[in-house]
Every structure is written in structure tokens, then in C-alpha cells.
Amino acid sequence: MILHINGVPIHYHVSGTGPAIILLHGFLESSTMWNRLVPLLAEKNTVVTVDLPGHGLSGCLDEVHTMELLADAVFQVISELDLDMVRIMGHSMGGYVSLAFTEHYPSMVDTLVLLNSTSIGDSMDIRKNRDRAIAVMKKNPDLYIGMSIPNLFAENNRKGFRTEIETLKKDAFSFPHEGIVAMLKGMKIRKDRSSVLKKFDGRKYLICGTDDPIFDVSDMEKLSITSNTMLFKVDGGHMTVNENWSEFVKIMYFIDFL
Ligand code: MLT
């Protein structure tokens, strides 16, 4: 299905019936990352997956895709579907968007799942890395995408998940380059939303990979304590859905998504 925001197409899919679950993909990903999960969730839920602006089949909304702008796009999809209460699971950057959504529409969120994600904003060093990433992306997008995707997997999983890595790369190569740059700019300036996570009084979960190359597990442990959020630690890197499907499914049962 397609929703137009200021004339820009935003693609989303709806499956199943029951309480609503919104699934938001991460950076350099699209709604296809949930292809294995959706049929399972759709047995008892209305499952909505969205291609966030500038990713998948969706167009770009602006030069900078702030988390607020992306959360507003998600709100417009939810409104179009007439949903008033949702459970949201966001992978990495999708988690940043989920938190921005929760900050703006707290009464609409029943459950928040940050999958390989965090509420903590970028450090100065990470911001500098974002600038470097933007420069490489503008000069040689294929090099940037080709290097970034394997680095999401735990080092010892990169060979075993070669096929998945190639599929993800192929998908990301087709995204509009200005969309990728707009996301990098938006993530760089996103604010720390740890207070949003702490304040949120619905069900809330963090899922982290013990070998995540992006987020340190000890930081996740601290965040879990300070924000009073239940933490699941699983083997593997940043791509739990690929790298540890069996544990991921167990968690989905535990949190009553399945
Ligand atoms: C993602 O997977 O969405 C990104 O790695 C998040 C980030 O770069 O902060």
C-alpha cells in the first residue's frame, strides 16, 4: 500500500488481524527484513511494516531525515489505518524512530521493543564518523554500502551469513542515495531519548546481541537498569533477526507477540 506525504510515496504493508504491531527497519534496510517474522505475527496480530522515507521503495521527504520527521511519517500511516493503540518494535535506527514516536504520541504506544537499538544519542566521536560516512557515501555509494552491511554482523558470523549479507546489500544498492545521506544526517543530530524510555510506563524491552559491533553490551546493561527496561541478551551481532533467529522467536513468544 502507498501513502503520499507531500506527494512523496511511502510504502507500507498490512497483514493479519488483531492488536496492531508496527515493525520499523533499521538503516540500510527495508520492510523486507521482517519477511520471515510477519507471517508468524500475522496469525494473531495486525502487522504493519513500513519502508521508512528514503529506504526500500519509499521516496525522500527532505534533505535531513530527522527521527521526528520519520516518526511523523509512521504516525500518518497509523492514522490512515485508523489504529489508536500500537505495539512498536524498531530495529536499530527503527528503534530511534520508535522512541521519537513514543515521545510524541505516548498514549498510543502499548509496548516498545528496541531491537539492537538504544535511546542514547551519538557521542562526539560517532558524530565525526557520521560526517566521514556522509563524505564516502557521496563519493562512492557502492563502496560505503558494500562495507557497511557486513560490519553489522558479528565478525565470526560474516562468512556463515554471506548469502543474507549479499541480499541486504542488493536491497540497499537500490535505495535513493540522497535517502541514505538524509538518514545519516538525521541520526547524527538525534537527541538522547533515555528519559523517554525511562518515563514510558507501558511494556518495554531491549534486545541486544552480545557481539554487536555497534552497541556495547555493557552499555545496554546499564541502560536497562537506569531506564527500568527488561533486557534480553542473545548471541550474535547487530542483526539478531538473521544471526539468532531461534532465540529471537523465543523472545517474541515471551513478550506475547506470538
Ligand atoms: C542501524 O542499523 O540502523 C544503524 O547501524 C544505526 C546507527 O548507525 O546508529
Side-chain angles (χ1 to χ4, degrees):
M1 296 164 99
I2 304 178
L3 170 80
H4 286 91
I5 302 180
N6 301 333
V8 174
I10 303 301
H11 287 248
Y12 64 99
H13 309 265
V14 185
S15 322
T17 49
I21 299 183
I22 315 294
L23 302 176
L24 300 179
H25 63 79
F27 177 61
L28 296 178
E29 297 163 352
S30 72
S31 53
T32 60
M33 76 161 283
W34 307 111
N35 280 355
R36 204 171 169 191
L37 180 65
V38 168
L40 305 183
L41 293 182
E43 284 176 20
K44 66 171 205 186
N45 304 287
T46 302
V47 187
V48 183
T49 60
V50 183
D51 278 352
L52 290 168
H55 275 45
L57 297 174
S58 294
C60 297
L61 287 177
D62 212 334
E63 273 181 31
V64 182
H65 283 167
T66 62
M67 299 307 111
E68 293 81 1
L69 184 72
L70 301 178
D72 183 62
V74 172
F75 175 74
Q76 295 201 41
V77 169
I78 290 174
S79 305
E80 178 82 2
L81 294 170
D82 228 357
L83 302 170
D84 47 18
M85 187 55 101
V86 296
R87 290 171 284 164
I88 304 191
M89 175 158 64
H91 180 241
S92 199
M93 186 193 71
Y96 310 157
V97 179
S98 309
L99 278 163
F101 184 92
T102 304
E103 180 175 33
H104 290 269
Y105 311 103
S107 61
M108 291 179 77
V109 183
D110 168 82
T111 303
L112 180 60
V113 185
L114 300 181
L115 169 62
N116 311 115
S117 190
T118 184
S119 57
I120 300 167
D122 278 2
S123 63
M124 286 317 283
D125 280 349
I126 297 177
R127 285 181 177 207
K128 281 188 194 140
N129 285 342
R130 300 271 191 218
D131 289 334
R132 278 192 279 271
I134 291 166
V136 180
M137 182 60 208
K138 283 183 175 167
K139 209 166 159 198
N140 193 339
D142 286 1
L143 174 76
Y144 177 70
I145 295 166
M147 273 175 12
S148 303
I149 292 184
N151 289 340
L152 300 172
F153 287 73
E155 214 171 323
N156 60 354
N157 274 339
R158 287 176 200 164
K159 260 199 188 142
F161 287 92
R162 231 183 346 232
T163 315
E164 288 79 358
I165 290 172
E166 288 313 311
T167 306
L168 283 162
K169 277 195 209 172
K170 202 168 156 228
D171 204 17
F173 283 142
S174 71
F175 301 168
H177 295 162
E178 65 273 26
I180 295 177
V181 170
M183 292 296 202
L184 284 165
K185 290 180 178 169
M187 287 194 286
K188 177 186 159 189
I189 59 166
R190 79 183 190 283
K191 65 179 191 181
D192 188 298
R193 287 196 164 85
S194 300
S195 59
V196 176
L197 183 61
K198 188 172 179 186
K199 213 168 113 195
F200 176 63
D201 61 2
R203 296 188 310 149
K204 50 189 176 183
Y205 305 100
L206 286 161
I207 303 172
C208 79
T210 49
D211 290 314
D212 190 327
I214 315 272
F215 302 120
D216 203 286
V217 70
S218 62
D219 290 339
M220 291 297 128
E221 285 165 347
K222 281 185 212 138
L223 180 61
S224 155
I225 294 166
T226 54
S227 64
N228 196 22
T229 305
M230 184 185 279
L231 171 67
F232 297 95
K233 290 183 276 184
V234 298
D235 288 345
H238 192 63
M239 303 299 282
T240 294
V241 175
N242 299 96
E243 293 176 82
N244 205 332
W245 171 252
S246 59
E247 284 304 307
F248 179 64
V249 168
K250 280 187 206 158
I251 296 169
M252 293 299 103
Y253 274 108
F254 186 85
I255 66 175
D256 202 28
F257 274 25
L258 283 175

